[in-house]
Amino acid sequence: MASVTSLGIGSGLNVEDIITSLMKVENRPVESLQTKAAGINAKISAFGALTSAMSSFQSAAVTLAGIGTWNAMNGSSSNSSAVSATTSTGASAGNYAVEVQALATAQSISSKSYTSATSSVGSGTLKIDIGNWNSDNTTFTANSSNKTLSVEVTAADTLTTLRDKINALGSGVNASILNDASGARLVINSRDTGTDNGFRITATDGDGTNTDNTGLSALAYDPPNATSATTLRQSGSNAQATINGLPVSSASNTLSNVVEGVTLTLGAKTTSAVSVSISADTDKIKKALTTFTEAYNSLATLLSTQTKYDADSQTAGALQGDSTAVSLQRQLRNLVGASTPASSVYQTLSSVGVTLQADGTLAVDNTKFDTALKSNMGEVRKLFTATDLTNSSRSGIGTQLRKFSDSVLSVQGALTSRTESLNQSLSRNDTETSKAEARVADVEKRLRAQYAALDTKMSSLTALNTYITNQIEAWNKA
């Protein structure tokens, strides 16, 4: 409507009030459609929240029904600083006595003392071979799988720049500078531990002599063939241990799959056996159950809130009476309260301490669940994870709930289909609202045109009436 109008001046009628009153009646279908749209939007929002809650529940059900959760193992040690244990796929329960006779070490050498880290080291070429020294360092056997590493050294190079060039090789060895009371030393270590990861350094010295202690040759390490100012600080060696009396040798202090699915990390020599125990990771199982019940309870509470009528506030949930929501609520309760022949010992969730409450949520008796795990974990596993491809009702409860959540969240599932249907209804409502608003606008335009014509006519009649009245008055005076 126009904010400023002259309608009614000619007729003397309060046209704006008349039109406003008439348009309130005409606008009722639009208001009805808008109210309907608000209801549809509320349902779409509610189903969006249900979809999110169902997705969380699906994820929790997948974990609880997953074999990986129930097959997970946990490693413990009576002396974890000496021997620690971690598990992976394939680990089996067992107990092991581990004794560590020696830790794996990396070869390490140090140069003679230089005035500072910026001291010149000579010029020429250093060649580094990776391989194995014999016990008294009189014989070196290069690994055929490793190529000789070469470092070109110029007269401008110092301990610092030589260190950087060695480290730039990226494999085999690494270098660092150690500063002590006598000056700076170049320290070179094998990157990996073990006897097969030792190294030999030979020099082609720019001063023409490759075997003395001056120039670049002072940094060589090849005891059988030349004397050198470079000193062996530690030989590369393998770790030595026994596991249940079986001798084990390893190039590293990490023993992977010596026991299948178990990684033992050696941290110190021992004087007596360390007890390592591999057992079922019940904490992981209990965490999966806790997450599952929390996700279920969130979903159940949301369904209850959205479908109930609150007598006190006289308000109904957005999904009260919605057949899809009510059906989901009923199916969930039936599944968690059902029995299954998947286990010969535990047929229901309540038999292991997971019970359905009056308000539709689940409660866990941790003591009862722990007892079931300790007494017969295999049957508890069946209750949750068993799968019967021919008859789903014979599958474990966890598997049934996982499949249920998969189905309602699928492309043609109940939640997806209902949300799509509501969006289509909203689209149709928007179209009807636009048409109704157009009809209302046409009616208002027509009314304004009619009242404008009335004003014009009434103005004309008023002017004629005034003329006649004036004429009569003039005649009477004459």
Side-chain angles (χ1 to χ4, degrees), residues 371-384:
T371 300
L373 286 178
K374 291 177 182 178
S375 61
N376 204 331
M377 181 182 287
E379 291 300 319
V380 181
R381 179 192 291 113
K382 290 178 183 178
L383 172 65
F384 286 99

Side-chain angles (χ1 to χ4, degrees), residues 29 75 205 310:
D205 201 329
D310 190 328

